[in-house]
Amino acid sequence: MNPEETYLKHLRTIERIAASVARRYYLDASEAEEFVQVVRVRLLEDNYAILRKFEGRSELSTFLTTVIGRLFQQWRVEHWGKWRNSAEAKRLGKTAIILERLISRDGYTFDEAVRHLTTPGGSPYTLAELEAIYQRLPDRMPRPMIVSDDVIPDIVTVEDDGYHRMEAEERAAAFRRAAKMVDELLEKMAAEDRLILQMRFWDGRNVPDIARTLHLDQKKLYKRLERLYRDLRVELVNAGVSPEVVAGLTGDDEENPS
């Protein structure tokens, strides 16, 4: 089978793999459509040069998955520039990388990123997890976006939106600074206390879940958390963190059944 016949026979597979890559990286509908078209064209270029490299050492679908993944990396650099995730996002893992990309590269607000990642239902991401990660990401300016004059709202709306966005960004920066302090304080704690608070602050897990995972008595764990929260609040307030931020970080949102 010559390269042209291979291309035509497997075009649906090519489109399916390209669409799957687009979904994996959370491209919107227009970007996904563009990327699929780019893949079609690249595989046609230079008399099917890429397909002529297939030597049959693996399944064609495996070869195409590898090739299309590389094409995506090239397209992303061309499309968005050489934007890279922060070292902290890489340390925190895949979810942090995706969240940082949406906010710092694509210009989403945190609320918009949450809606994007938690819709539709059944998403693997939770609000608690995303909030915990967001508080630990470095404060990076989003990539600039060029907006056509015909979609700019009137000046009053722009000013009002800008004020509220600035206010939200300042509040988020304060939370990030406080979250960093919390992480530093956790390092000084006993190993099990540190693990309990990491599961609450970093993973957004509830008390019953933590108790089951660590084989702890649930009622005693509530009391233990109250003590740990109290100690953290004292440290944070003494360090100059505002009561609002302290409450947002350490306020126990679960009713103690005792």
Side-chain angles (χ1 to χ4, degrees):
M1 187 181 298
N2 64 43
E4 181 180 7
E5 291 172 340
T6 299
Y7 176 83
L8 294 173
K9 180 178 180 180
H10 297 281
L11 183 57
R12 290 292 180 87
T13 300
I14 291 167
E15 292 173 342
R16 176 180 56 77
I17 294 172
S20 176
V21 170
R23 286 194 301 273
R24 186 188 316 153
Y25 289 96
Y26 293 92
L27 301 187
D28 62 31
S30 61
E31 288 177 326
E33 183 178 355
E34 178 184 344
F35 175 64
V36 172
Q37 180 61 28
V38 165
V39 169
R40 291 194 198 103
V41 172
R42 291 297 304 276
L43 293 179
L44 283 169
E45 285 178 348
D46 194 18
N47 192 26
Y48 307 95
I50 292 176
L51 289 176
R52 283 192 280 111
K53 294 179 181 179
F54 178 61
E55 298 177 348
R57 295 179 182 176
S58 64
E59 294 291 332
L60 179 62
S61 60
T62 302
F63 172 80
L64 289 170
T65 298
T66 301
V67 165
I68 292 171
R70 290 173 181 168
L71 289 177
F72 175 80
Q73 300 301 327
Q74 295 171 7
W75 177 78
R76 181 171 62 178
V77 170
E78 295 167 1
H79 195 67
W80 292 318
K82 294 184 178 180
W83 186 90
R84 292 181 175 85
N85 282 102
S86 66
E88 182 66 11
K90 292 176 182 177
R91 184 184 73 82
L92 291 170
K94 180 181 177 181
T95 302
I97 288 171
I98 293 171
L99 180 62
E100 184 180 56
R101 189 194 72 195
L102 289 173
I103 294 171
S104 298
R105 190 201 66 197
D106 299 345
Y108 284 60
T109 65
F110 173 69
D111 288 343
E112 290 167 344
V114 168
R115 286 196 295 273
H116 186 73
L117 292 173
T118 57
T119 305
S123 164
Y125 306 103
T126 66
L127 175 58
E129 176 191 19
L130 295 173
E131 284 180 336
I133 290 172
Y134 179 60
Q135 290 166 0
R136 285 161 176 80
L137 291 175
D139 190 8
R140 303 175 71 185
M141 292 296 291
R143 293 176 64 85
M145 298 178 66
I146 299 174
V147 183
S148 171
D149 290 341
D150 59 7
V151 298
I152 296 178
D154 62 76
I155 190 66
V156 175
T157 303
V158 171
E159 289 179 349
D160 183 62
D161 181 66
Y163 171 78
H164 288 297
R165 181 179 285 257
M166 184 180 299
E167 189 179 53
E169 288 173 352
E170 290 174 353
R171 185 170 180 272
F175 269 95
R176 281 194 290 273
R177 289 192 295 271
K180 186 175 181 181
M181 291 183 195
V182 169
D183 291 345
E184 291 171 354
L185 291 170
L186 293 186
E187 290 300 318
K188 302 174 184 178
M189 292 185 172
E192 191 172 69
D193 286 344
R194 180 169 64 249
L195 179 58
I196 289 168
L197 287 175
Q198 285 173 341
M199 292 173 78
R200 281 292 286 139
F201 287 134
W202 293 4
D203 302 334
R205 295 171 69 171
N206 60 35
V207 173
D209 186 26
I210 296 171
R212 283 193 300 272
T213 301
L214 301 182
H215 306 289
L216 299 173
D217 181 271
Q218 184 174 318
K219 288 190 176 182
K220 289 182 179 179
L221 180 56
Y222 275 108
K223 295 183 182 299
R224 187 172 179 178
L225 276 168
E226 285 178 0
R227 174 180 57 79
L228 293 172
Y229 285 150
R230 184 173 60 250
D231 292 345
L232 278 176
R233 289 186 187 108
V234 170
E235 294 278 0
L236 291 170
V237 170
N238 288 342
V241 179
S242 74
E244 178 194 8
V245 172
V246 172
L249 281 174
T250 65
D252 188 3
D253 58 357
E254 297 180 82
E255 183 180 354
N256 189 331
S258 60

